[in-house]
Amino acid sequence: MRATDPIRTKFREAKYHLERLTDIEKMKEFYPTVNAFLSAARSVLSVACHELGWKERLSCYRTGFTTNQEGERKQYDAWFESSTEAKAVLDHPLAKERHVVIHRSGRAGFFHVPKPIGGLAIAEGDAHGPGLVIRRGRATLPLEDSNLFFYEDPCGTRHGAVAYCMEYFQLIEAFFREVKQPPWR
């Protein structure tokens, strides 16, 4: 097994969840899938640091390396610290959202707007509940779970959820390409 195989596996997992996002209209499917995408996408960097670097390995996993292997891993760590690809991923709002999803509130800044039949959407929904629509002058829950999904970044700008996730994935992909062609050697 090559050191990049676990990284490739995590990359494919992120890609799988991203591809699933493009077809989802249901709130119940969207939120777990986007959370899985965020977790897998950010984990590409974490797995790379564990598999190729020195600093991220626990001391009990640092045994059995030659001096040359240890030096190469430390070179990876130095490259990672200066990598524009890694920095672009880590600075992206969705990398920070992954931390919120996994370690804090359990939900990212994604929301949905119902596409009601014979009504008008008046309130957005989020991972904790559906939006509201007006039908015959009364606010009700939508009859079907069919939605448009958005992401609101920390500045309050709204983005199409899938397009924003695709943009983030392109940064992950650029990092993955760099790792496959080791520039630190």
Side-chain angles (χ1 to χ4, degrees):
M1 178 174 86
R2 295 185 343 231
T4 56
D5 288 349
I7 305 163
R8 182 184 322 284
T9 300
K10 191 52 76 170
F11 178 79
R12 287 180 181 160
E13 181 183 338
K15 187 174 182 178
Y16 168 79
H17 291 300
L18 179 63
E19 289 170 353
R20 286 213 47 232
L21 280 178
T22 61
D23 297 329
I24 291 177
E25 290 186 354
K26 297 186 182 314
M27 173 188 92
K28 289 182 178 185
E29 295 173 19
F30 178 80
Y31 290 103
T33 305
V34 79
N35 289 351
F37 166 73
L38 292 175
S39 178
R42 173 58 182 88
S43 293
V44 171
L45 276 71
S46 298
V47 171
C49 288
H50 180 268
E51 291 297 317
L52 302 172
W54 184 257
K55 186 172 67 171
E56 292 294 319
R57 293 183 78 84
L58 297 174
S59 59
C60 61
Y61 295 115
R62 289 181 177 173
T63 60
F65 291 110
T66 66
T67 306
N68 287 345
Q69 290 171 324
E70 181 180 333
E72 187 172 310
R73 287 176 171 273
K74 288 179 179 179
Q75 286 175 338
Y76 170 83
D77 289 340
W79 169 82
F80 184 84
E81 291 295 321
S82 65
S83 167
T84 55
E85 289 80 7
K87 184 169 176 24
V89 172
L90 296 173
D91 287 347
H92 196 279
L94 291 184
K96 293 165 182 57
E97 289 287 354
R98 180 253 178 215
H99 182 74
V100 170
V101 167
I102 302 299
H103 302 292
R104 299 285 184 255
S105 69
R107 65 180 284 273
F110 291 94
F111 63 93
H112 64 274
V113 176
K115 295 188 298 185
I117 298 172
L120 175 67
I122 59 169
E124 301 156 348
D126 62 18
H128 301 296
L132 294 174
V133 298
I134 290 183
R135 279 197 187 85
R136 298 186 192 107
R138 294 191 337 222
T140 63
L141 295 174
L143 294 176
E144 62 183 59
D145 188 10
S146 182
N147 306 278
L148 301 172
F149 298 98
F150 299 93
Y151 172 74
E152 186 170 277
D153 67 24
C155 298
T157 306
R158 294 180 172 194
H159 308 270
V162 173
Y164 203 64
C165 288
M166 287 179 167
E167 172 191 308
Y168 179 53
F169 185 75
Q170 288 173 347
L171 299 175
I172 302 285
E173 193 170 32
F175 172 81
F176 181 64
R177 277 194 309 267
E178 284 290 309
V179 168
K180 287 188 338 186
Q181 307 289 322
W184 60 90
R185 290 186 179 155

